[in-house]
Amino acid sequence: MKRLLLLSGFFLTIITVSCNNNKGPHSGHTTDVAKEMYTCPMPGDSVFSDKPGKCPKCGMGLVKMKQGNHQHNDGNQTEVYTCPMHPEIIRDKPGKCPICGMDLVKKGGAVDNSSDLNIDFLLQPTNEYVLSSIPITSLHSANEEIEVEALGKIAYDTKQVGTISARVSGRIEKLYVRYRYQKITSGQKVMEIYSPEILTAQQNLLFLLKNDIENTVLVNAAKEKLLLLGMSQEQLNDVIETKKAAFTISVYSKYSGHIHEAGSQSMQKELGEMRDISLLTEELPLKEGMYVQKGQTVFTVYNPNRAWAILNFYADKQGLIRQGSPVRIVPETAPDKDFRATINFIEPFYRQESKTVTARVYFDNSILKIPIGSQVKATIFGNSREANWLPVQAVVSLGLDKVVFIKDGIGFKAYKVKTGITYKNRIQVLEGLSAHDSVAANAQFLMDSESFIKVNE
């Protein structure tokens, strides 16, 4: 009986000690230990950490965040205020946005603080994950009839450029072309040349006709030589009839158009360098009494009735333009003289110091009379494209790469996409998105100006 009483007293002592150890200044209540948080004093940096240190963006020391106002003794909920333009700004009391200065507005409900925030989520770099509530959009599939706009100018058709050359050496006795841009027609006499070579050939023919007229082989050869030296059939018949040699030979034009160049071969070399002929307003250097050499180009004739419209467009539109595409051209000098034509030729190279592709349109300028060198606007038709489209603002260009921000939970992540043509504020998406992906409608708002976007492939 005595042993039983001793054991009962021992267990009672153990129970009493255990109960006393559970008592404290807050008996019956659990103590919530708030986790200390540190942040950068610069509001725009949005840097958070669970330990002291320096801001990785600006280098300033991190400061301890206030914890007293985040929780009330009578509950675990608190009112939250945010900026309408910058949802990443979150405060526990009214105030102004440190970025734009707008008044903070109360969110639609209370925030439950009973569970701690994930520090890894808050510390994600802004170039990988962006918290925002801006509008979203998705791919739109449509068949678009695409019109390509192009600028250009009117130029001479080089296929219609003719040259008048001297077939013999001699002196210019008479010149019928006096000024640059003078209009001439086919068959018009442009000058008369005295040539000893022509005079000798005529005398040989007259000698054969007088002394050996039955030698038809030599007579015909002498006539053929004069014709090859540039003498016309009429001039030759006149020499045979009058039995007298002509001291000068007339030079006729085979082309109709405007005289642009005349003179020595050095001038023709400059012409070959494609200099701007519209700037040459001085007089022709060729004068009466000057000598010309055999084979020398004396005049260059341009025909303004046959012209080109040279159109320039960027390389991203090259897949939409092909030979035969219909085009509407509106001259700047005469908008009422717009006309329809087709693309005749696309140059297979880029011109020097140019980033555009050049297309040529041949047209008859004899009725329109559009001045050479006039600026024109062109619209190229006949191109339809079935594609997936996004607003242009939803795509950010990083140089060679194009990026969109895809909705991921409450934030956005950057993904690289492959794009095609741009048309009417829309851009074609070739790869990188599906019809179920939602992207930020205006990706420029999600750009971090102080860091380069890390793209998720």
Side-chain angles (χ1 to χ4, degrees):
M1 188 65 179
K2 184 184 289 188
R3 182 177 296 178
L4 181 59
L5 292 173
L6 290 174
L7 290 174
S8 299
F10 177 74
F11 285 114
L12 181 61
T13 303
I14 292 176
I15 293 172
T16 302
V17 172
S18 299
C19 292
N20 291 333
N21 289 340
N22 288 332
K23 291 182 178 181
H26 300 282
S27 298
H29 301 280
T30 59
T31 302
D32 295 331
V33 180
K35 196 171 187 178
E36 293 184 347
M37 294 288 295
Y38 297 83
T39 183
C40 178
M42 297 299 292
D45 287 349
S46 300
V47 174
F48 302 91
S49 176
D50 58 352
K51 57 184 178 180
K54 290 185 177 297
C55 175
K57 292 187 176 182
C58 64
M60 297 181 64
L62 302 180
V63 297
K64 186 177 179 180
M65 297 178 63
K66 294 181 180 180
Q67 301 290 339
N69 295 330
H70 287 271
Q71 196 169 16
H72 299 283
N73 294 331
D74 56 351
N76 291 324
Q77 293 184 341
T78 181
E79 294 180 346
V80 175
Y81 297 83
T82 184
C83 175
M85 297 299 295
H86 302 88
E88 70 272 14
I89 302 301
I90 300 175
R91 297 291 186 267
D92 59 351
K93 57 184 178 180
K96 292 186 177 296
C97 175
I99 298 178
C100 63
M102 294 182 64
D103 292 334
L104 301 182
V105 297
K106 184 179 178 181
K107 279 198 170 182
V111 178
D112 188 1
N113 290 330
S114 59
S115 61
D116 293 335
L117 292 176
N118 187 350
I119 188 64
D120 294 333
F121 176 79
L122 292 176
L123 296 180
Q124 290 191 81
T126 56
N127 61 349
E128 294 182 14
Y129 196 88
V130 184
L131 297 176
S132 181
S133 59
I134 66 174
I136 59 175
T137 185
S138 59
L139 288 177
H140 172 66
S141 180
N143 188 359
E144 293 287 347
E145 188 71 22
I146 300 175
E147 299 177 0
V148 179
E149 302 291 335
L151 299 176
K153 63 180 181 179
I154 303 298
Y156 287 106
D157 185 351
T158 57
K159 299 194 305 296
Q160 304 296 323
V161 177
T163 57
I164 303 174
S165 303
R167 297 189 179 185
V168 292
S169 300
R171 182 178 68 248
I172 300 176
E173 292 294 326
K174 189 67 175 178
L175 191 62
Y176 298 97
V177 178
R178 298 292 184 178
Y179 54 91
R180 185 171 281 110
Y181 308 127
Q182 181 175 342
K183 186 177 180 179
I184 63 174
T185 58
S186 178
Q188 179 179 336
K189 185 189 295 186
V190 294
M191 65 179 178
E192 295 179 0
I193 298 178
Y194 163 76
S195 172
E197 184 178 1
I198 287 287
L199 184 58
T200 302
Q202 292 180 78
Q203 291 173 347
N204 290 337
L205 174 61
L206 294 175
F207 180 82
L208 290 173
L209 293 175
K210 182 178 180 180
N211 300 296
D212 195 6
I213 193 173
E214 295 180 356
N215 193 344
T216 56
V217 176
L218 292 178
V219 172
N220 291 335
K223 292 179 181 179
E224 188 69 23
K225 181 178 181 180
L226 288 171
L227 294 174
L228 292 175
L229 290 176
M231 180 175 283
S232 65
Q233 188 65 49
E234 294 180 358
Q235 289 176 310
L236 179 59
N237 295 336
D238 188 59
V239 169
I240 295 174
E241 291 177 3
T242 60
K243 302 292 192 296
K244 292 182 179 180
F247 288 93
T248 60
I249 180 175
S250 298
V251 178
Y252 297 90
S253 173
K254 294 183 178 180
Y255 311 98
S256 297
H258 296 158
I259 294 292
H260 276 257
E261 289 295 334
S264 62
Q265 294 190 12
S266 61
M267 294 189 62
Q268 300 305 319
K269 181 179 179 181
E270 293 179 3
L271 177 64
E273 295 173 354
M274 299 298 291
R275 61 176 177 169
D276 189 356
I277 58 178
S278 64
L279 300 178
L280 303 179
T281 57
E282 68 272 12
E283 62 180 354
L284 292 176
L286 204 62
K287 304 294 182 182
E288 293 177 354
M290 290 183 175
Y291 282 81
V292 294
Q293 302 297 323
K294 181 186 296 186
Q296 176 184 340
T297 298
V298 182
F299 295 108
T300 304
V301 183
Y302 287 80
N303 185 4
N305 294 331
R306 297 294 300 175
W308 287 349
I310 299 179
L311 307 178
N312 300 310
F313 54 90
Y314 288 102
D316 60 341
K317 302 294 192 300
Q318 187 172 2
L320 301 172
I321 300 174
R322 60 186 62 87
Q323 187 172 343
S325 296
V327 57
R328 175 175 176 261
I329 298 177
V330 181
E332 183 183 44
T333 56
D336 58 322
K337 293 184 178 180
D338 63 298
F339 60 94
R340 299 294 181 113
T342 58
I343 300 294
N344 298 99
F345 182 74
I346 300 177
E347 295 182 357
F349 60 89
Y350 287 91
R351 296 195 177 191
Q352 187 175 5
E353 300 180 358
S354 175
K355 297 181 180 180
T356 58
V357 181
T358 302
R360 303 176 189 171
V361 177
Y362 304 115
F363 68 98
D364 188 355
N365 197 31
S366 58
I367 299 176
L368 298 174
K369 300 296 183 183
I370 302 175
I372 302 299
S374 300
Q375 302 294 321
V376 297
K377 295 181 179 179
T379 304
I380 304 172
F381 304 96
N383 304 289
S384 60
R385 182 66 59 92
E386 176 71 30
N388 295 319
W389 305 89
L390 274 180
V392 173
Q393 295 83 356
V395 181
V396 177
S397 175
L398 301 180
L400 297 178
D401 294 331
K402 301 293 189 300
V403 170
V404 297
F405 287 89
I406 298 181
K407 186 74 172 178
D408 183 15
I410 62 173
F412 294 87
K413 284 187 177 182
Y415 284 83
K416 184 168 69 174
V417 295
K418 184 178 180 181
T419 60
I421 62 174
T422 302
Y423 178 65
K424 287 186 177 180
N425 204 33
R426 284 181 288 180
I427 187 169
Q428 179 188 10
V429 178
L430 301 176
E431 297 177 4
L433 281 181
S434 67
H436 305 288
D437 292 328
S438 297
V439 301
N442 195 334
Q444 297 295 336
F445 282 117
L446 304 182
M447 287 287 292
D448 184 2
S449 60
E450 297 182 0
S451 62
F452 195 81
I453 296 177
K454 183 177 180 181
V455 179
N456 296 280
E457 299 288 348

